Amino acid sequence: MSAAPQRIEKGIHWGNLIRVTGWLLLAAAVMSPLLLGEGYRLPGGIGKNYLLTIGIFTGIHAIIAVGLGLLMGYAGQVSLGHAAFYGLGAYTSAILTAKLGVPPVPAMLAGIVLTAVIALLLGTPTLRLHGHYLAMFTLGLGMIAQIVFNQARGLTGGFGGVRNIPYLGIGSWQLDTKPEFYIVVVLALGLTLLMAHNLVNSRTGRALRALHESELAAAICGVDVARGKLQIFVISAVLASVAGSLYAHFMRFVSPGPFGFVFSVDLLIMVVVGGAASVWGPVAGAALFNVLSETLGRIGEQIPWVADLDIVLFGAVLVAVIVFLPRGLVTLAGRRRGGVGEAASRPEIQAEA
Amino acid sequence: MSLTDQLVQYLVTGVSVGAVYGLVGLGFAIIFNATGVINFAQGEFVMLGGMCAVAFTGLGMPLITAALLSVAVVTAIGLLVERLTIRTLPGASIMTLIIATIGASFVLKGGAKLLWGPEAVILPAFSGHQPLHIGAAGIAPQRVWVMGVVLVSVIGVQLFFKYTLAGKAMQACAINRSAAQLVGININRTVSVSFGLSAALAALGGIVLTPATMMRYSQGATFTLTGFLAAVVGGLGNGIGAVVGGIMLGVLEALAGGFIDILTSSLIHSGYSKAIALAVALLVLWLRPQGLLGRREREAG
C-alpha cells in the first residue's frame, strides 16, 4: 500500500547521479597526470612530463578563456587583443624578475595593475558605444603591443626575448618541479572559476544578463550598462595578465611569438567552441584546443602530409563544431541551464539590423 | 633627392599600398551591410587572388586570361565560404558567424600552403620596371597599375549599387533587412552576391599587388587586419569611407616609415611605422567613433 511513496524515496535521482559522476570524472582527469608513474608510457609514447605540460598550458589558456567568455557571453563584447594583455603580464613579470630582481609575486601584481590601467583606458571610451568598437580598439592594441614587443629591444630583448626568468615562488619556497607548477595552475584556474561563478550570480552578473536580454530595458531599470561591461572587461584583461605571468615563470623565457593576433584568435576559438554563455564552456574549449593541436602535431611528426594539412584540419574541425554545436561543447553536458545561454545564443542578427 | 621628392615618393607608395587596404575594407563593408558579419576570411581572398594569378600565368596563360580566371576562381571560393558558413548557421549569433569565417580562413590558408608551399611567389610586373618620374621621385609602374585598378573597381562598385537591381537590393538590405525582405528581396541571394563581390574585389587587389610586393600563403591575415581597420576608421558599412580609411593608413605608414628616422633620434625607429599608423587610426576613432565618413552612432548608458 505504501509502495508508491517508498518508490519515490528510493528512486534514483538520475540528474544528481550524472552530476556526481561528472565531477568525479573531472577530478580523476585533473589528477591523472600527477598519479601517473614516472616511467609509464601511454599509447604513442606519452609520458607523465608531457601530460603535465599539456595540462599546464590548458590551464593557463583556460584562465584567459574564462575571462574572455565572461566578456563575450555576458557583456556581449569581443576582444581581438587578449593576447596583448597576456603578453603584458608575461613581459612585466619577465622584465621585473629577470632584469631587476623583483620577487615574482610583486612582479605579477605590477603586471595586474599595468594591465588594469590599460584596459580601463581602452574600455572607458569604447564600451559606451554600440557595435564593434571594443573589438577594433583591442585589435589595434594587440597589433601595437606586438610591434613594441619586437622593437623595444632595450626592454624586451626584441626577437631574442627575455631569458633566465626565475621560478615562481615566495622566498625560499620555489615551484621548481612540473607537478608543483601544475597544482598551482589548477588551483589558479579553480579560483578563476569560483570568481567567475560568483560574478555571474552577483548583482553585476544579474544586471549583465538583463543587459543581454535588452540593453534599453536594463538601462531603464537603472542598470549602469557601460559600467558593468567595463568591470567585466577589466577583469578579463587582468586574468589574461595573471596567465601571462604564470606562462613566463613556467617557460622561464618569453619572446614575442606567443602574444600575437594568432593567439587572440585561438582564444576566441576556445571560447566559442566551448560555449561563451557558460563559465565552464571556455575550459572545455581550451582543453579541446590544446589536445587537438598537440595530437595533430604528434601525428604530423609521423606522417608528413598531416603536418602540411594541420591548418586545414584545424579550420575544418572548428567550422564543424560551430555548425553542429552552435552553442559550444557545453551543449553536450546537458541543457539544464536556460537563462543566459538562451539569451546569449539568440540571433543577434535581428537586433543589429 | 630633395625633401619634396621624398614626400612624393612616400605618398605614392602609401597611396598604392593603402588602396589595396581600402579595397579589402570595401569588401568588409559590403558583407557587413548584407549580414552584420565581419568576414575574417577577407584577406585570404587577396592572397588567393595573387596565388592563382601566379599559378595560371605559370601554366602559360596570358596575363589578362590568368587574371580573369583568378577572379572567377576566387569569386567561386567566396560563394562557397558563404554557403558553408553563413548559410549553414541560420539564427546563430554574429559572434558565432564571425568565428565560422575565421575557421574558413584557416582552411583557405592551409589549402594555399598545401598547393603552393611556404615560399613567397611573384608575378612579373604588368608593364616593365622603367620607373615613371615626377621630379626626382621615381615611381614603379606597378604602383600606378594598383592605384588605377582600385580606382576603377571602386567606381564600378558604386555604379553597381546605383544602377543595377541586385545592387539596389543590397543597399535596401543594408538599410533594413526586414523591410527589404517584405518587399520581396531574396535575402539569401543578396548575401551570396555580397560574398562573391567582396571576394572578386579582394582577388583583383591581390593580383595587381603581387608584382609589387610578392605573395605568400600566410599573408592573408595582414590584409584582413589592416582592411578591417580601414573599414572601421572609414565608418563601418560605408564603402567609400573604407577606401579613404585604407589610403589614410597606407600613407601614414609610408610617411612614418620614411620620415621617422629624420625627425626623431634613435629612440623611435622605422620599425614602429605601422604602430604609429595604427595609433593615429585609433586616435581618429576615439575622437570620431562613427569613423571618418560614418553615420553618427547612438550612445548607450
Side-chain angles (χ1 to χ4, degrees):
Chain A
M1 293 239 189
S2 58
Q6 256 182 352
R7 195 181 294 155
I8 289 170
E9 271 168 35
K10 278 191 180 170
I12 302 163
H13 294 274
W14 287 106
N16 279 346
L17 193 67
I18 290 169
R19 203 170 306 166
V20 170
T21 319
W23 281 109
L24 287 176
L25 281 176
L26 186 68
V30 170
M31 294 296 287
S32 58
L34 290 171
L35 299 174
L36 204 63
E38 205 62 64
Y40 188 76
R41 287 282 177 274
L42 290 171
I46 295 167
K48 178 174 182 161
N49 250 334
Y50 186 68
L51 270 186
L52 282 173
T53 306
I54 296 179
I56 288 165
F57 274 114
T58 303
I60 288 175
H61 293 169
I63 291 171
I64 318 173
V66 168
L68 196 58
L70 288 175
L71 184 70
M72 288 166 72
Y74 292 84
Q77 292 283 328
V78 194
S79 165
L80 295 172
H82 255 51
F85 296 126
Y86 181 48
L88 274 172
Y91 270 102
T92 310
S93 276
I95 292 166
L96 288 183
T97 57
K99 293 195 167 180
L100 302 172
V102 176
V105 175
M108 187 186 272
L109 291 176
I112 290 175
V113 171
L114 179 68
T115 311
V117 168
I118 290 179
L120 268 174
L121 285 178
L122 271 185
T124 309
T126 45
L127 287 170
R128 304 190 72 83
L129 299 158
H130 283 277
H132 298 282
Y133 290 101
L134 187 75
M136 192 56 242
F137 273 80
T138 46
L139 175 67
L141 171 84
M143 292 166 79
I144 292 172
Q146 182 65 23
I147 294 170
V148 172
F149 293 154
N150 270 303
Q151 299 290 341
R153 290 187 197 99
L155 201 62
T156 64
F159 191 68
V162 182
R163 287 166 195 287
N164 302 324
I165 301 167
Y167 288 112
L168 187 61
I170 301 169
S172 62
W173 179 64
Q174 292 203 325
L175 293 171
D176 48 7
T177 67
K178 262 190 191 173
E180 281 176 321
F181 200 86
Y182 176 73
I183 293 169
V184 167
V185 168
V186 169
L187 288 178
L189 177 60
L191 277 179
T192 305
L193 283 167
L194 197 66
M195 192 274 305
H197 188 80
N198 285 339
L199 187 76
V200 165
N201 294 308
S202 72
R203 193 184 150 83
T204 313
R206 283 197 306 275
L208 285 169
R209 247 175 291 177
L211 190 156
H212 224 127
E213 290 285 339
S214 159
E215 214 160 281
L216 185 62
I220 290 169
C221 291
V223 172
D224 190 341
V225 172
R227 198 190 136 99
K229 286 185 189 172
L230 185 62
Q231 215 172 336
I232 297 233
F233 176 58
V234 173
I235 289 173
S236 75
V238 163
L239 285 173
S241 166
V242 171
S245 296
L246 288 174
Y247 171 89
H249 288 293
F250 176 61
M251 297 301 286
R252 306 184 63 211
F253 164 69
V254 291
S255 62
F259 308 113
F261 177 67
V262 174
F263 187 63
S264 288
V265 170
D266 288 350
L267 288 167
L268 283 188
I269 292 170
M270 291 176 210
V271 172
V272 171
V273 165
S278 95
V279 171
W280 282 94
V283 182
L288 179 76
F289 186 95
N290 278 284
V291 171
L292 191 66
S293 52
E294 280 302 324
T295 313
L296 286 177
R298 283 239 145 188
I299 299 174
E301 281 169 19
Q302 309 297 321
I303 313 164
W305 64 264
V306 176
D308 289 329
L309 210 64
D310 63 344
I311 313 175
V312 180
L313 284 175
F314 215 87
V317 169
L318 177 62
V319 174
V321 169
I322 286 172
V323 168
F324 295 113
L325 296 169
R327 289 177 204 181
L329 291 171
V330 280
T331 341
L332 295 176
R335 291 152 212 269
R336 56 200 158 86
R337 295 237 177 94
V340 183
E342 297 295 320
S345 53
R346 202 166 283 168
E348 284 165 57
I349 202 161
Q350 288 164 357
E352 298 220 358
Chain B
M1 230 195 309
S2 76
L3 206 62
T4 340
D5 293 328
Q6 281 190 5
L7 188 67
V8 170
Q9 182 106 46
Y10 293 140
L11 275 177
V12 172
T13 311
V15 171
S16 73
V17 172
V20 176
Y21 295 161
L23 205 55
V24 182
L26 177 59
F28 269 115
I30 291 169
I31 291 181
F32 180 79
N33 279 340
T35 61
V37 167
I38 313 282
N39 170 33
F40 270 91
Q42 192 68 23
E44 309 302 331
F45 297 147
V46 179
M47 178 271 293
L48 286 174
M51 291 296 207
C52 285
V54 173
F56 291 139
T57 47
L59 293 176
M61 284 183 202
L63 182 67
I64 182 76
T65 322
L68 288 176
L69 199 57
S70 304
V71 171
V73 168
V74 177
T75 306
I77 295 172
L79 293 172
L80 198 66
V81 166
E82 190 269 333
R83 200 43 78 87
L84 292 179
T85 58
I86 310 292
R87 190 73 64 86
T88 49
L89 291 162
S93 73
I94 295 287
M95 207 101 79
T96 307
L97 294 177
I98 291 175
I99 303 283
T101 65
I102 291 178
S105 79
F106 280 19
V107 175
L108 297 178
K109 178 180 167 185
K113 188 184 172 195
L114 272 182
L115 276 174
W116 289 288
E119 300 305 318
V121 295
I122 195 161
L123 207 59
F126 292 0
S127 41
H129 292 283
Q130 192 59 47
L132 307 168
H133 286 286
I134 304 176
I139 288 147
Q142 193 61 34
R143 299 280 176 196
V144 181
W145 270 101
V146 173
M147 290 183 271
V149 167
V150 172
L151 186 68
V152 170
S153 317
V154 171
I155 293 172
V157 169
Q158 292 307 310
L159 293 177
F160 169 76
F161 279 141
K162 241 191 177 113
Y163 294 109
T164 67
L165 198 60
K168 285 177 183 167
M170 284 174 72
Q171 288 214 302
C173 217
I175 294 164
N176 188 327
R177 267 175 90 87
S178 323
Q181 203 158 15
L182 278 176
V183 296
I185 291 169
N186 184 340
I187 301 279
N188 274 345
R189 192 190 301 152
T190 310
V191 171
S192 282
V193 172
S194 76
F195 268 82
L197 186 59
S198 317
L201 287 173
L204 264 178
I207 295 165
V208 285
L209 194 64
T210 302
T213 63
M214 304 179 76
M215 194 62 77
R216 192 190 299 268
Y217 82 97
S218 57
Q219 244 166 329
T222 316
F223 292 111
T224 301
L225 297 183
T226 327
F228 178 45
L229 262 160
V232 182
V233 167
L236 197 53
N238 183 319
I240 296 296
V243 176
V244 173
I247 290 175
M248 189 193 95
L249 277 173
V251 168
L252 276 172
E253 202 180 308
L255 287 181
F259 285 116
I260 202 165
D261 291 325
I262 305 173
L263 295 177
T264 64
S265 52
S266 56
L267 183 66
I268 296 178
H269 50 88
S270 55
Y272 286 108
S273 61
K274 194 150 195 147
I276 289 167
L278 288 170
V280 173
L282 291 183
L283 194 69
V284 166
L285 209 58
W286 199 54
L287 297 172
R288 234 185 113 75
Q290 70 274 34
L292 290 171
L293 304 182
R295 283 164 298 179
R296 179 117 189 94
E297 277 277 338
R298 190 163 52 95
E299 283 211 1

